[in-house]
PDB file of all heavy atoms in Angstrom:
ATOM      1  N   ASP A  80     124.145 -69.380 -10.335  1.00 98.00           N
ATOM      2  CA  ASP A  80     124.775 -68.081 -10.131  1.00 98.00           C
ATOM      3  C   ASP A  80     125.401 -67.992  -8.724  1.00 98.00           C
ATOM      4  O   ASP A  80     124.887 -68.596  -7.773  1.00 98.00           O
ATOM      5  CB  ASP A  80     123.677 -67.016 -10.303  1.00 98.00           C
ATOM      6  CG  ASP A  80     124.218 -65.645 -10.645  1.00 98.00           C
ATOM      7  OD1 ASP A  80     125.399 -65.539 -11.007  1.00 98.00           O
ATOM      8  OD2 ASP A  80     123.447 -64.664 -10.559  1.00 98.00           O
ATOM      9  N   HIS A  81     126.467 -67.227  -8.578  1.00 97.00           N
ATOM     10  CA  HIS A  81     127.125 -66.972  -7.282  1.00 97.00           C
ATOM     11  C   HIS A  81     127.115 -68.149  -6.310  1.00 97.00           C
ATOM     12  O   HIS A  81     126.426 -68.133  -5.294  1.00 97.00           O
ATOM     13  CB  HIS A  81     126.526 -65.736  -6.608  1.00 97.00           C
ATOM     14  CG  HIS A  81     126.844 -64.479  -7.342  1.00 97.00           C
ATOM     15  ND1 HIS A  81     128.077 -63.882  -7.295  1.00 97.00           N
ATOM     16  CD2 HIS A  81     126.091 -63.746  -8.202  1.00 97.00           C
ATOM     17  CE1 HIS A  81     128.066 -62.820  -8.080  1.00 97.00           C
ATOM     18  NE2 HIS A  81     126.894 -62.709  -8.650  1.00 97.00           N
ATOM     19  N   HIS A 184     125.868 -54.882  -7.545  1.00 91.00           N
ATOM     20  CA  HIS A 184     124.653 -55.690  -7.480  1.00 91.00           C
ATOM     21  C   HIS A 184     123.598 -54.835  -6.782  1.00 91.00           C
ATOM     22  O   HIS A 184     123.665 -54.641  -5.583  1.00 91.00           O
ATOM     23  CB  HIS A 184     124.881 -56.962  -6.666  1.00 91.00           C
ATOM     24  CG  HIS A 184     125.697 -57.991  -7.378  1.00 91.00           C
ATOM     25  ND1 HIS A 184     126.930 -58.366  -6.953  1.00 91.00           N
ATOM     26  CD2 HIS A 184     125.438 -58.727  -8.484  1.00 91.00           C
ATOM     27  CE1 HIS A 184     127.406 -59.302  -7.772  1.00 91.00           C
ATOM     28  NE2 HIS A 184     126.521 -59.532  -8.712  1.00 91.00           N
ATOM     29  N   HIS A 214     128.075 -58.506 -14.495  1.00 97.00           N
ATOM     30  CA  HIS A 214     127.106 -58.690 -13.402  1.00 97.00           C
ATOM     31  C   HIS A 214     126.514 -57.342 -13.028  1.00 97.00           C
ATOM     32  O   HIS A 214     127.078 -56.298 -13.342  1.00 97.00           O
ATOM     33  CB  HIS A 214     127.805 -59.306 -12.179  1.00 97.00           C
ATOM     34  CG  HIS A 214     127.976 -60.788 -12.300  1.00 97.00           C
ATOM     35  ND1 HIS A 214     127.349 -61.685 -11.494  1.00 97.00           N
ATOM     36  CD2 HIS A 214     128.701 -61.521 -13.188  1.00 97.00           C
ATOM     37  CE1 HIS A 214     127.673 -62.910 -11.848  1.00 97.00           C
ATOM     38  NE2 HIS A 214     128.497 -62.846 -12.877  1.00 97.00           N
ATOM     39  N   GLY A 215     125.386 -57.381 -12.294  1.00 95.00           N
ATOM     40  CA  GLY A 215     124.798 -56.137 -11.798  1.00 95.00           C
ATOM     41  C   GLY A 215     124.342 -55.216 -12.909  1.00 95.00           C
ATOM     42  O   GLY A 215     124.618 -54.012 -12.885  1.00 95.00           O
ATOM     43  N   HIS A 236     123.924 -59.742 -16.722  1.00 98.00           N
ATOM     44  CA  HIS A 236     123.048 -60.233 -15.647  1.00 98.00           C
ATOM     45  C   HIS A 236     122.081 -59.142 -15.194  1.00 98.00           C
ATOM     46  O   HIS A 236     122.511 -58.010 -14.937  1.00 98.00           O
ATOM     47  CB  HIS A 236     123.877 -60.602 -14.412  1.00 98.00           C
ATOM     48  CG  HIS A 236     124.553 -61.925 -14.509  1.00 98.00           C
ATOM     49  ND1 HIS A 236     124.644 -62.782 -13.448  1.00 98.00           N
ATOM     50  CD2 HIS A 236     125.173 -62.545 -15.538  1.00 98.00           C
ATOM     51  CE1 HIS A 236     125.298 -63.880 -13.808  1.00 98.00           C
ATOM     52  NE2 HIS A 236     125.633 -63.753 -15.073  1.00 98.00           N
TER      53      HIS A 236
HETATM   54 ZN1   ZN B   1     126.219 -61.282  -9.892  1.00 75.55          ZN
END
Side-chain angles (χ1 to χ4, degrees):
D80 202 14
H81 292 284
H184 286 114
H214 279 246
H236 281 220

